[in-house]
């Protein structure tokens, strides 16, 4: 295979292995918190590799890293690729990092083959894409595009008494700069942005032939980090049913009702996924106590903003019904919104053509998960995504990916870069 000939496979394997070595969570899986020391270590590691490949290195005010292989005509807007280097707590190695390593491997491959594309090729490594640590997703790309607000930086760490602003300051960044309203780079200087990512779902891995996907759209989401259902804490033996205000029972009823609605909405063809998690009862809860309070998170996702609005409104309405029925009350925290995004049809077609030129079969599929590409796409940058088959899902420590599949996706990326100006001439 061509990619083996130029050592790209071995290069990618070494990079994945070396980064894995310092990313292991002490208990299980991989933990690279955004604005934490391990994410920083990945950025430092990549800067070293950039030196070896003679790439230009830039870091913006939020710590996003840009590695550029200069093109023949530096007045042209660049072809950008990249993803994020952080992970969820005790997650897998490839969510985000696959796109970073694909970009670096592509730059290595261009250097090995002494190919200088017409325009600059830039690998961007975004900071903190994952919402799992502080509740806010796409922090690096939102900072790059001047879209963070002070409330975002006031969000608290999932299990430490630290705000996001404090974490950023500790990591050496100036939060006044991070909250600036302008873009840290000129978006008009990006001709195309392609993010490679593992699929994180089972579709591609179920295929023998198509191990690579070209994404047709990116789901948006409505999320709450910590809502509450508040009832009355009481003795589990002494209080009969009619006198209870059991918060866990109320939540059970809410989940049952929402699950039924979800089925109905799917049956009438809406794109919708719905998750409630991070359930916690009070630290004093015990077998003999009727639970008086439950806190929980909400994550609703769809390709359609209208579906998100309506399902969220339905959830609030069901909470009101249950509150009246059971004498409990619900408190919702701030609604966090990630916009759904379309991919650029011309750029996606270019990727399909590149795959066909490289004789790599691809499947066109939507992205269920959220990605930084959505932030750029919604600001008018032509974006698309390459998905790579992976095993055992994602956002869990068992997530896997075969390097052979990764190299197919990387070859599509490489081909799309070297043919970009043929097709756009
Ligand atoms: C990104 O990791 C997401 O939660 O979709
Ligand atoms: Mn993720
Ligand atoms: Mn990701």
């Amino acid at each position: 295979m061509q990619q083996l000939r130029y050592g790209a496979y071995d290069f990618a394997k070494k990079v994945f292995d070396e980064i894995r070595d310092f990313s292991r969570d002490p208990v299980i899986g991989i933990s690279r918190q955004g604005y934490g020391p391990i994410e920083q270590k990945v950025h430092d590691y990549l800067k070293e590799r950039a030196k070896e490949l003679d790439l230009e290195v830039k870091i913006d005010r939020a710590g996003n890293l840009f590695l550029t292989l200069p093109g023949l005509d530096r007045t042209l807007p660049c072809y950008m690729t990249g993803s994020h280097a952080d992970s969820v707590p005790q997650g897998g190695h490839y969510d985000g990092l696959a796109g970073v390593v694909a970009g670096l491997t592509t730059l290595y491959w261009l250097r090995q083959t002494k190919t200088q594309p017409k325009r600059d090729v830039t690998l961007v490594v975004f900071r903190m894409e994952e919402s799992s640590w502080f509740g806010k997703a796409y922090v690096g790309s939102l900072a790059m595009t001047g879209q963070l607000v002070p409330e975002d930086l006031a969000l608290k760490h999932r299990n430490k008494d630290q705000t996001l602003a404090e974490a950023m300051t500790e990591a050496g960044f100036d939060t006044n700069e991070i909250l600036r309203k302008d873009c840290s780079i000129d978006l008009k200087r990006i001709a195309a942005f392609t993010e490679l990512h593992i699929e994180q779902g089972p579709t591609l891995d179920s295929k023998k032939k198509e191990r690579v996907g070209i994404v047709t759209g990116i789901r948006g989401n409505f999320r709450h980090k910590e809502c509450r259902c508040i009832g009355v804490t009481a003795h589990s033996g002494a209080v009969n049913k009619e006198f209870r205000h059991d918060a866990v029972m109320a939540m059970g009823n809410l989940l049952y009702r929402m699950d039924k609605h979800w089925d109905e909405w799917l049956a009438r063809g809406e794109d919708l996924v719905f998750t409630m998690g991070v359930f916690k009862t009070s630290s004093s809860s015990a077998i003999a106590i009727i639970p008086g309070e439950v806190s929980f998170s909400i994550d609703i996702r769809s390709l359609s903003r209208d579906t998100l609005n309506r399902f969220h409104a339905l959830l609030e309405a069901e909470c009101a019904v249950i509150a009246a029925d059971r004498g409990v009350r619900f408190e919702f925290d701030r609604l966090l919104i990630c916009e759904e995004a379309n991919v650029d049809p011309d750029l996606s077609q270019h990727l399909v053509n590149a795959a066909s030129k490289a004789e790599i079969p691809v499947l066109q599929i939507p992205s269920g998960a959220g990605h930084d590409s959505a932030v750029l796409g919604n600001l008018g940058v032509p974006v698309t995504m390459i998905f790579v088959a992976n095993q055992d899902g994602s956002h869990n420590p068992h997530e896997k990916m075969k390097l052979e599949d990764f190299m197919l996706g990387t070859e599509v990326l490489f081909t799309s870069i070297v043919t970009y100006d043929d097709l756009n001439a």
Side-chain angles (χ1 to χ4, degrees):
M1 278 197 292
Q2 196 188 7
Q3 65 267 34
L4 287 172
R5 199 156 69 235
Y6 294 116
Y9 178 101
D10 294 341
F11 175 84
K13 181 171 185 328
K14 185 166 179 306
V15 172
F16 277 126
D17 288 350
E18 288 178 348
I19 296 178
R20 184 192 279 106
D21 278 348
F22 60 78
S23 303
R24 288 183 209 281
D25 183 274
V27 180
I28 190 168
I30 297 293
S31 289
R32 292 189 286 259
Q33 184 200 309
Y35 293 101
I38 309 294
E39 184 197 47
Q40 183 59 49
K41 230 172 152 174
V42 181
H43 283 240
D44 293 341
Y45 173 91
L46 294 168
K47 278 185 270 174
E48 288 303 311
R49 301 292 77 73
K51 257 193 242 159
E52 292 157 10
L53 296 176
D54 195 21
L55 306 175
E56 289 180 0
V57 176
K58 277 200 188 127
I59 299 165
D60 78 358
R61 62 199 180 213
N64 298 304
L65 175 66
F66 302 86
L67 307 178
T68 297
L69 188 150
L72 290 165
D73 181 353
R74 304 217 64 192
T75 65
L76 292 173
C78 71
Y79 190 119
M80 191 176 272
T81 185
S83 193
H84 59 100
D86 64 317
S87 78
V88 300
Q90 301 184 343
H93 192 38
Y94 301 105
D95 173 3
L97 193 66
V100 171
V101 179
L104 192 69
T105 304
T106 298
L107 296 174
Y108 170 88
W109 196 343
L110 290 169
R111 285 295 191 218
Q112 291 300 300
T113 52
K114 302 203 184 341
T115 311
Q116 189 175 17
K118 190 159 168 195
R119 62 187 69 235
D120 287 7
V121 182
T122 297
L123 163 62
V124 57
V125 188
F126 291 115
R127 292 275 177 171
M128 189 183 273
E129 187 271 351
E130 298 291 357
S131 62
S132 313
W133 301 91
F134 288 89
K136 183 77 186 169
Y138 307 157
V139 171
S141 53
L142 289 172
M144 180 182 108
T145 52
Q147 298 185 80
L148 286 178
V149 293
E151 291 79 6
D152 298 328
L153 269 52
L155 287 163
K156 280 276 182 80
H157 189 277
R158 63 198 300 272
N159 51 21
K160 271 200 277 186
D161 188 21
Q162 185 187 46
T163 62
L164 177 52
E166 286 162 355
M168 287 168 158
T169 307
E170 195 176 297
F173 295 98
D174 177 344
T175 51
N176 291 322
E177 283 292 303
I178 288 181
L179 286 171
R180 273 170 59 167
K181 289 286 160 223
D182 57 337
C183 291
S184 70
I185 63 162
D186 181 359
L187 299 186
K188 295 217 171 56
R189 304 283 308 149
I190 310 173
F193 179 81
T194 301
E195 178 172 4
L196 180 144
H197 206 281
I198 54 169
E199 185 204 341
Q200 305 181 279
T203 308
L204 289 170
D205 198 45
S206 71
K207 305 276 175 202
K208 268 215 156 58
K209 206 164 110 216
E210 298 101 340
R211 308 292 298 170
V212 173
I214 306 294
V215 168
T216 53
I218 303 170
R219 277 184 182 144
N221 59 65
F222 277 18
R223 290 197 259 213
H224 290 275
K225 187 170 177 242
E226 192 170 17
C227 300
R228 267 170 228 292
C229 172
I230 300 159
V232 177
T233 307
H235 192 294
S236 67
V239 182
N240 286 344
K241 194 160 197 281
E242 68 265 37
F243 300 113
R244 290 180 180 225
H245 306 284
D246 181 330
V248 167
M249 282 291 185
M251 287 307 299
N253 193 223
L254 178 63
L255 285 165
Y256 174 75
R257 287 168 182 249
M258 294 312 296
D259 191 40
K260 280 184 78 167
H261 287 304
W262 184 13
D263 279 339
E264 284 160 20
W265 287 44
L266 291 179
R268 60 171 196 250
E270 307 230 25
D271 177 61
L272 178 67
V273 284
F274 174 59
T275 308
M276 281 167 65
V278 203
F279 279 85
K280 287 184 208 150
T281 50
S282 118
S283 56
S284 60
S285 57
I287 301 179
I289 296 177
I290 299 167
E293 186 170 326
V294 181
S295 62
F296 57 97
S297 64
I298 299 170
D299 180 324
I300 309 170
R301 303 194 189 208
S302 176
L303 289 165
S304 152
R305 171 58 75 98
D306 181 52
T307 301
L308 291 172
N309 279 326
R310 286 183 293 105
F311 203 71
H312 188 264
L314 178 62
L315 176 67
E316 285 179 323
E318 285 292 16
C319 287
V321 170
I322 291 168
D325 277 2
R326 293 175 175 259
V328 296
R329 71 191 157 84
F330 287 89
E331 285 178 2
F332 279 66
D333 66 351
R334 183 175 157 231
L335 174 63
L336 297 159
I337 296 179
C338 289
E339 310 230 4
E340 66 289 353
N342 295 321
V343 294
D344 182 81
D346 293 340
L347 184 58
S348 297
Q349 187 55 49
H350 172 59
L351 267 284
V352 171
N353 296 344
S356 140
K357 196 172 161 73
E359 296 180 3
I360 295 171
V362 289
L363 191 71
Q364 309 230 13
I365 56 171
S367 168
H371 302 286
D372 292 301
S373 307
V375 172
L376 297 187
N378 283 324
L379 291 171
V381 176
V383 300
T384 194
M385 293 190 71
I386 300 170
F387 268 1
V388 172
N390 80 289
Q391 297 74 43
D392 298 326
S394 187
H395 285 193
N396 77 67
H398 310 295
E399 169 205 284
K400 292 180 194 66
M401 179 193 72
K402 294 181 177 143
L403 216 49
E404 289 70 23
D405 292 332
F406 167 82
M407 286 311 301
L408 293 175
T410 303
E411 189 165 348
V412 174
L413 176 65
F414 176 86
T415 312
S416 82
I417 289 171
V418 293
T419 58
Y420 186 76
D421 283 295
D422 300 339
L423 300 187
N424 284 273

